């Protein structure tokens, strides 16, 4: 008896389709909305790697967590959580360089129960282009 494994395997999707599917599940925000959310208590989380932060600067008040540690640090039930990860109702705005990796990160955070997680359209570059505050590292 032979098995037909092709019916068991998931149909692969390209990254553009994956991003579209992920982003359809939540509302993304623009730089001014992100600044207002931070003023209202949202946690801005910068997931860019060190070289980009060194080159371009930081958003004042943003929590820096590199992408490979994000879930560990923001899971409110996790043993390695950041002190800022106070609960599943926390509004988190994930910021990458241009707004792509942050969308995938949000999907992961939402799987952990952070149902108010979103990301910044255009990432750090859009924040800077909007003339919002940036601090040197």
């Amino acid at each position: 008896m032979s098995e037909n494994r092709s019916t068991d395997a998931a149909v692969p999707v390209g990254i553009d389709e994956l991003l579209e599917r992920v982003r359809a599940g939540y509302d993304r925000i623009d730089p001014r909305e992100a600044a207002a959310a931070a003023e209202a208590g949202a946690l801005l989380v910068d997931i860019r790697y060190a070289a980009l932060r060194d080159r371009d600067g930081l958003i004042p008040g943003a929590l820096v967590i590199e992408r490979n540690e994000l879930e560990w640090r923001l899971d409110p039930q996790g043993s390695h959580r950041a002190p800022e990860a106070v609960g599943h109702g926390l509004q988190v705005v994930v910021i990458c360089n241009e707004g792509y990796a942050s969308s995938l990160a949000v999907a992961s955070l939402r799987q952990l129960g952070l149902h108010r997680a979103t990301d910044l359209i255009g990432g750090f570059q859009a924040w800077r282009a909007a003339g919002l505050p940036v601090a040197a590292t």
Side-chain angles (χ1 to χ4, degrees):
M1 179 162 105
S2 76
E3 288 184 43
N4 184 353
R5 293 185 187 262
S6 65
T7 59
D8 295 338
V11 177
V13 298
I15 189 63
D16 293 328
E17 184 178 341
L18 179 61
L19 278 172
E20 189 176 311
R21 288 180 185 183
V22 163
R23 290 172 174 170
Y26 66 94
D27 293 324
R28 303 176 77 212
I29 61 176
D30 68 30
R32 300 246 177 248
E33 292 169 321
E39 284 289 320
L43 181 62
L44 302 182
V45 179
D46 187 341
I47 63 169
R48 295 174 301 144
Y49 52 89
L52 290 176
R53 296 191 311 268
D54 291 344
R55 182 189 76 190
D56 294 336
L58 299 166
I59 296 172
L63 178 63
V64 173
I65 303 175
E66 290 199 20
R67 176 64 190 97
N68 63 321
E69 297 180 357
L70 186 68
E71 293 83 357
W72 301 105
R73 306 290 288 145
L74 291 185
D75 179 2
Q77 299 175 337
S79 58
H80 299 296
R81 73 175 182 84
E84 295 85 352
V86 295
H88 291 99
L90 177 66
Q91 183 179 12
V92 176
V93 180
V94 182
I95 302 163
C96 66
N97 195 48
E98 295 181 346
Y100 295 98
S102 57
S103 295
L104 299 176
V106 166
S108 183
L109 292 177
R110 285 177 164 253
Q111 287 180 319
L112 289 174
L114 293 159
H115 61 275
R116 296 181 66 204
T118 188
D119 72 322
L120 177 60
I121 299 167
F124 178 86
Q125 297 306 323
W127 177 279
R128 186 171 62 179
L132 293 166
V134 173
T137 59

